[in-house]
Amino acid sequence: MSNSCSLMKQWCSKLSWPTPAFSEFVIKDHNPMSRTTKHRTVGNPNDSMRILHKKIIDHLGYYVHNMPSATGGIKRRSYLTNAARHCRGRYFYLLDIRGAYDSVNLRLLARILFELDSRLGDEELIKEFLETYCSIGKGLCTGGPASSLLFNIYANYLLDKKLEPLCHAYGIVYSRYTDDLTFSAASPIGKHKRKNIRQIILDAKLGISYHKAQVIDITNKGWVLITGVKLELLKNSRKLALSLPRHYLAELWAMINSAEFKERESKTMEIFQGKMSPVWQLRKTAKRFGLPLSREVQDLANRY
């Protein structure tokens, strides 16, 4: 097929003014679950860029159905369902990919996309398209509407397809929430297994945030935090319950006990509704997977 007939050429030819572009800015990204704050350079797409990224998503979105381990940016999957997959584990190994979007090799991603669907164009055209419309200098653009999908395709090809058979052989449950990798098992995930897991990540030319890596036996600690969700060992039981971080629940109770809440002050109630959303979503996830909730979360969900 000639490049003049390629899908990516067609998408670009149908765009009108203004030229697709990102405006860059730095945001302060606060995660209320982990209580971490990061400064991120984000690209804000203009209307033409949004239209172009929607075409990417509409065309390539089907491929997420072939990504059983991926849980981020996929319909009916979330950070909650990601954690729920590990509710039958005792031993946990948690890893984080360093600078995930920045680490994407666009030439390699172009090759992967060409192998998925040659109608997009040849590898060189796809690479140029990615560099022009999906990047702001290095890797994939944070803030690009299609970046999550493109990263999932990239990581599925380089990581998931290699980690899945290895973990199956080891009796390990594996999931990936964007750049957060979780491994759980009924038996210890020893040094040799962990080394082989890390080698697959390094072979993919992706970095590891070693300072964030954790090896946990939940019977010693009593809980583990996975993508902001707390898995808590129930007393006098080997079962794990879905919960939320203690500090987050404490903030909710402090709000409930405030004078503004008791007077049903409108702004306070609006904030409370937003902060209760993870509680209600967690209850739905527990029901969907047939898992117990911690007593604290169950009490909040029932009362409010």
Side-chain angles (χ1 to χ4, degrees):
M1 182 193 298
S2 68
N3 279 335
S4 61
C5 299
S6 73
L7 285 173
M8 287 183 167
K9 278 282 189 183
Q10 292 176 34
W11 295 343
C12 294
S13 66
K14 293 177 181 178
L15 291 173
S16 57
W17 188 89
T19 302
F22 289 107
S23 55
E24 292 182 55
F25 60 99
V26 177
I27 63 166
K28 193 174 182 180
D29 184 12
H30 178 69
N31 186 326
M33 294 299 178
S34 62
R35 290 194 291 190
T36 57
T37 301
K38 298 178 182 179
H39 289 85
R40 301 180 188 274
T41 300
V42 176
N44 182 33
N46 64 10
D47 289 344
S48 293
M49 187 66 88
R50 289 184 186 278
I51 291 170
L52 194 55
H53 274 240
K54 186 177 186 303
K55 291 181 183 294
I56 298 171
I57 294 167
D58 288 346
H59 186 74
L60 294 174
Y62 171 81
Y63 293 103
V64 300
H65 299 295
N66 298 318
M67 302 179 191
S69 299
T71 58
I74 298 175
K75 191 175 181 180
R76 287 185 59 78
R77 304 184 203 176
S78 68
Y79 71 101
L80 299 169
T81 62
N82 179 74
R85 292 187 180 196
H86 299 276
C87 266
R88 289 171 177 80
R90 171 179 170 179
Y91 299 92
F92 297 83
Y93 186 36
L94 310 181
L95 289 174
D96 182 90
I97 298 172
R98 185 178 68 248
Y101 281 10
D102 288 346
S103 300
V104 173
N105 181 319
L106 296 181
R107 181 173 291 280
L108 180 52
L109 176 57
R111 187 183 310 159
I112 294 167
L113 293 175
F114 177 75
E115 289 180 10
L116 281 179
D117 191 344
S118 61
R119 294 174 300 168
L120 293 169
D122 64 30
E123 288 184 30
E124 192 60 33
L125 183 142
I126 296 172
K127 183 180 82 71
E128 291 176 5
F129 180 95
L130 294 171
E131 290 173 343
T132 305
Y133 301 113
C134 301
S135 179
I136 50 176
K138 187 179 180 183
L140 293 172
C141 172
T142 300
S147 291
S148 176
L149 171 61
L150 292 171
F151 183 78
N152 270 333
I153 291 171
Y154 187 79
N156 180 66
Y157 185 90
L158 295 176
L159 293 182
D160 301 346
K161 287 187 175 182
K162 295 178 174 65
L163 286 170
E164 285 162 1
L166 180 71
C167 289
H168 179 74
Y170 287 158
I172 291 173
V173 176
Y174 162 65
S175 69
R176 177 181 56 78
Y177 182 74
T178 308
D179 56 356
D180 290 318
L181 279 57
T182 305
F183 306 85
S184 64
S187 57
I189 305 174
K191 289 183 179 180
H192 178 71
K193 294 177 183 178
R194 299 199 303 269
K195 181 180 179 182
N196 288 342
I197 287 169
R198 292 194 303 272
Q199 193 58 52
I200 288 174
I201 300 169
L202 297 175
D203 287 346
K205 299 295 187 286
L206 293 169
I208 299 171
S209 298
Y210 289 101
H211 66 287
K212 294 182 180 179
Q214 297 182 66
V215 181
I216 296 170
D217 176 352
I218 203 166
T219 60
N220 293 332
K221 194 174 182 180
W223 57 272
V224 61
L225 200 63
I226 300 174
T227 54
V229 180
K230 187 177 181 182
L231 300 186
E232 189 176 290
L233 189 62
L234 294 173
K235 289 183 179 179
N236 304 317
S237 172
R238 293 185 179 180
K239 290 184 178 180
L240 300 183
L242 291 171
S243 188
L244 294 171
R246 184 179 296 274
H247 70 85
Y248 191 83
L249 296 175
E251 289 173 10
L252 275 170
W253 282 113
M255 185 174 287
I256 290 167
N257 292 323
S258 69
E260 292 83 0
F261 183 88
K262 291 173 182 177
E263 293 172 5
R264 295 297 190 267
E265 196 272 326
S266 60
K267 188 173 182 180
T268 299
M269 295 308 297
E270 184 179 336
I271 295 171
F272 177 73
Q273 294 286 325
K275 290 184 76 68
M276 275 295 293
S277 180
V279 174
W280 296 323
Q281 290 174 14
L282 197 63
R283 179 170 59 181
K284 289 181 181 179
T285 302
K287 186 176 181 181
R288 176 180 163 189
F289 284 85
L291 299 170
L293 283 174
S294 70
R295 186 178 63 183
E296 294 90 340
V297 172
Q298 187 68 62
D299 187 32
L300 273 170
N302 289 341
R303 291 178 62 179
Y304 300 98

